[in-house]
Amino acid sequence: MWLAIYTLWLRDLVRFVRQRSRVVGAFATPIVFWALLGSGLGGSFSMGGAERAGGYLHFFFPGTLALIVLFTAIFSTISLIEDRQLGFLQGVLVAPVSRAAIVLGKMLGGTTLALVQAGVFLLLAPVAGITVSAAQLPALLLVLTLLAFALTGLGFVIAWWLDSTQGFHAIMNLLLVPMWVLSGAVFPASGAAPWLRPLMRVNPMTYGVSGLQEILIGQTSGPSFGTAITATLLFGLIMLGAGTVLASRRAQG
Amino acid sequence: MTAGPSIVVEAVERRFGPRVALAGVSFTVEPGEIFGLLGPNGSGKTTLFRIVSTLIEATAGRVAVAGHDVATDAQAARRQLGVVFQSPALDVRLTARENLRHHGHLYGFHGKDLEERITASLGALGVAERAGDLVAKLSGGLQRRVEVAKALLPRPRVLVLDEPSSGLDPNARRELWDLLRSLRDTVGTTVVLTTHLMDEAARCDRVAILHHGRLVALGTPDELTRIVGGEVLWVSGADPENLAGGIATRFGVDARLVDGRVRVEHPGGHLLVPQIVEAFPGAIEAVTVSRPTLEDVFVHHTGERFE
């Protein structure tokens, strides 16, 4: 079981490194996003009651980190669709491996890639006036890992249903990006229209984002840190369970 | 090691919505047999392949591999199976060796034992010297060899292949068949393959012919062609319908209209040729006589051309 998880995890990493465009795209997109959106909105944006030094680039930094994790999770699960089309997945499915191991290998692969990319982006933290102390690192790593694990799991569950990568892009625009927008990453819940707030509360991404904000900018309009950790862990485990159930069904295809 | 059958297929049905892909198929494959599933597109042979290889489940009926039910004990069945898909199940961004290494890990092999298996497996398929090449850089034929090497790595007792000859040139096909036979003869591997090629089916120890999801014939190629009997005449003319009727009444034989030509099975077919030509002057364009092939077996049982 561990050998199977390890080998699927390793394959995802090797594939990633061998696709230079993916490496560049995954790093560059959020940085450009952060710099342009953050700088552009900064002047006209006033945070509802939570004004603080550093401006919008500062506030937007944890949200961008969450976006990097989301993008990486999406791109690493899109490969699941390619694997199905090209036949590699079938070869894995006929192997005597527990279905949970297949899902877990994929989820851990995406999680690792997300952590690496988040780590690189964190090097920019001083630019946003954010310092991360050594004491904060374990908590930061924990939140990032849980969030990456959950989002890769979500990506897996979505990708399993789809037979085209175009389909995934549609889902990304209709579901995943709005999820990110409504996670408190772009604007705090305290400043949002009242009808949006319940949506933000049931959005599973809100909790991971809130955890990141707590650590990095010391403020969040979201739930407490303990709730954030628990909810994100739960989110990830539910996705793992759902993915395993999907991968165990042999009715389709 | 149990001495029981390698594969048992028992009253297997498979529906996709309203479409019936398999309508109750039963047969048994004995250890050390090369068993062919012959059928045209849509006959259900690939569906059956996918059920046996544990990718999809049967709607009804039972399939067992080396005594393990694929529905209830899939992992045990998978451990006995090597599966070769029609399109190679390889990661083209990895090298041949890396592909086999991942595959070996999935079957629980690791370390030195695994590396030795990889080398032996690639060597058996004659691709050892390409082990370090990215699969994307290999030709279709070489990819197929790596794919077979991968399936053989765990040394499965039962090897199932979906259309193994598609995309292979005649040389590569011959080599593949030499390999399958040597696996059967040296280690006693059971081989089950799907095919739509008559000459390929004719090389199998036994053949099951599928048509519209039903098993229409089962036996050795010899047994099957013997059922057809003697020789097969194909008569073509401007008015095949009248011709068929005419030949049937005049000679008291079973003359059937198949695909715009008249088909006659007769023990002394070649003796009939001059008589037919004389009996219907001007109505006949061509007559061919042949010993029955598996294609004739198919026509004999289904009344349709194989295509």
Side-chain angles (χ1 to χ4, degrees), chain A residues 137-206:
Chain A
L137 273 180
L140 185 58
L141 191 65
L142 177 67
V143 178
L144 279 174
T145 305
L146 292 178
L147 182 62
F149 187 71
L151 291 179
T152 316
L154 179 64
F156 185 100
V157 169
I158 294 170
W160 193 268
W161 291 100
L162 301 173
D163 50 11
S164 76
T165 49
Q166 288 93 330
F168 204 116
H169 288 291
I171 301 265
M172 183 167 94
N173 291 331
L174 281 169
L175 177 74
L176 298 177
V177 170
M179 257 179 85
W180 172 74
V181 170
L182 289 181
S183 67
V186 187
F187 50 82
S190 51
W195 67 271
L196 275 181
R197 287 182 202 160
L199 274 178
M200 292 175 80
R201 208 166 303 127
V202 298
N203 177 0
M205 224 181 135
T206 299

Side-chain angles (χ1 to χ4, degrees), chain B residues 209 211 216-218 224 227-228 256 265 296-304:
Chain B
I209 300 181
H211 179 61
V216 292
L218 174 69
L224 292 178
I227 294 170
V228 177
R256 280 196 278 173
E265 290 172 11
D296 294 304
V297 177
F298 183 84
V299 177
H300 174 87
H301 288 287
T302 65
E304 287 175 31

Side-chain angles (χ1 to χ4, degrees), chain A residues 85-122:
Chain A
Q85 285 171 342
L86 298 176
F88 182 85
L89 183 66
Q90 295 178 322
V92 175
L93 289 175
V94 298
V97 174
S98 84
R99 307 296 106 165
I102 296 173
V103 185
L104 208 51
K106 192 87 212 165
M107 284 174 75
L108 291 177
T111 303
T112 308
L113 296 177
L115 286 179
V116 170
Q117 302 203 28
V120 172
F121 185 68
L122 276 171

